[in-house]
Amino acid sequence: MPTTTDRPIARRAREPGTPPRSVIALAWVALVTGTGVAIWLLPAKPDEHLARPAPPAAATAPPSPATRPASRPADRPSGRIARPSGFVTFVNAARAPLPPLPRPARRGRVRWFTLGHLTAGPGGCTPGWAGPGRRGGVPGPARLGRLRAAGGDAGLVFGGPVGRELAAACTDPGRLLNAYRQAVDTFGAGYIDFEIRGPADGETVLRRASAIAALQREAAAGGRPLTVSFTLPVTGAGLTRGDQEMLRTTREGGAEITTVNLLVPIQDGAAGRPRLRSVASAVRTAHPQIARSLGGSTSWRRVALTPVLTGPRDLDMADARRLAAFTSRNGLAWLSTRGATPTTGVTRLLADIAR
């Protein structure tokens, strides 16, 4: 294949049973360098609005697996539920050079990464990394296996802001399923995300839903369940009606959606208004919409938050603490960022969020 991309926040004491330093170092080096080394979460005083409980382009094909020695899926323990938690670091695999990654977590404090974005390449049914040509390669199966052995994990992101998501470009259901399957198998992924930007026609939604359902059945039969989330933009009015309908149709098509990850832009607050108040408001508005789309009542553990930054200064240390408090008090599934990379201090603080 031509592809090569819940629970409260708690301040914890360092636990015994830390894996050998050599194991951690090996996983770190194998994944290139660190975007931030995890530190213990600093105590935070929650913002009153964020903390209160919520009311009732071209695709560049990655190296082919055939070019890798002993090409095989990255090891993932059989039966393990691969579900993101804590702070999830997004890795733009099309960027050159590859952005650095933080080292894997200590035992019991998993550090999560997502590799993206995988979009339709030449022919429409061949996945590739979205973005300009890049140097080097993304972490391969062997490297991700070492990451997982050291207590970390990584998933894949399909779609994104550049290019076309595979289901929109590949109209052959069998080839679409095979494209998703090969990506999942190559990286040993137990978690995949679909970052959908803009409206999609009904046939595209149904093709994607059918493929996801088939992948999940295959994974379950093999004893390695596949967790699926959708990443969607949200405003003060919550999700668009089209995105709500897309989630409902996907669920009715047989796909199990574990989490809806909300992309919320960081905006400057008006005079006298907390800077992150709009973020909290958007998430609270979207929550009941997600519940209706996924069927019945939906716990906050099925909602994740991803602020979108236009610059590294969009989040300062105080903002990071407020986001951490909001995530914890509302029991969100995880916290991540998109867009610009936060400052080193903010990244270190957020990277210590643990479930």
Side-chain angles (χ1 to χ4, degrees), residues 10 17 44 51 73 78 100 165 171 177 180 188-189 218 222 224 228 235 254 275 287 292 306 315 317 322 328:
S78 179
E165 203 278 307
T171 58
L177 173 58
Y180 287 145
E218 292 172 2
R224 297 185 175 187
V228 173
T235 66
R275 174 174 155 76
H287 176 249
R292 289 191 294 270
T306 298
L315 279 182
M317 295 295 284
R322 292 184 182 107
S328 174

Side-chain angles (χ1 to χ4, degrees), residues 111-152:
R111 291 292 178 264
W112 267 95
F113 311 102
T114 52
L115 310 178
H117 293 92
L118 278 167
T119 58
C125 295
T126 301
W129 301 119
R134 63 184 308 279
R135 300 184 296 273
V138 299
R143 295 174 182 176
L144 291 181
R146 289 194 290 269
L147 167 66
R148 287 161 181 151

Side-chain angles (χ1 to χ4, degrees), residues 185-257:
D185 289 348
T186 296
F187 291 96
Y191 162 67
I192 57 175
D193 176 72
F194 293 86
E195 186 173 326
I196 307 301
R197 304 289 187 98
D201 63 84
E203 292 184 358
T204 294
V205 174
L206 288 173
R207 275 196 303 273
R208 184 192 300 119
S210 177
I212 292 172
L215 288 174
Q216 289 182 315
R217 288 193 298 269
E218 292 172 2
R224 297 185 175 187
L226 180 65
T227 300
V228 173
S229 68
F230 275 77
T231 291
L232 303 170
V234 66
T235 66
L239 296 171
T240 66
R241 289 191 176 184
D243 283 343
Q244 294 177 55
E245 179 66 15
M246 182 272 294
L247 291 174
R248 184 188 66 79
T249 302
T250 300
R251 171 180 59 83
E252 293 178 348
E256 180 180 350
I257 303 172

Side-chain angles (χ1 to χ4, degrees), residues 50-148:
L50 287 174
R52 71 187 180 202
T60 303
S64 167
T67 65
R68 301 191 196 101
S71 177
R72 64 182 179 84
D75 293 333
R76 184 166 59 88
S78 179
R80 176 179 177 183
I81 303 299
R83 182 173 301 171
S85 61
F87 180 71
V88 179
T89 300
F90 174 75
V91 178
N92 184 347
R95 188 174 296 166
L98 183 69
L101 296 174
R103 64 183 176 184
R106 294 169 291 274
R107 183 179 303 168
R109 297 175 64 82
V110 173
R111 291 292 178 264
W112 267 95
F113 311 102
T114 52
L115 310 178
H117 293 92
L118 278 167
T119 58
C125 295
T126 301
W129 301 119
R134 63 184 308 279
R135 300 184 296 273
V138 299
R143 295 174 182 176
L144 291 181
R146 289 194 290 269
L147 167 66
R148 287 161 181 151

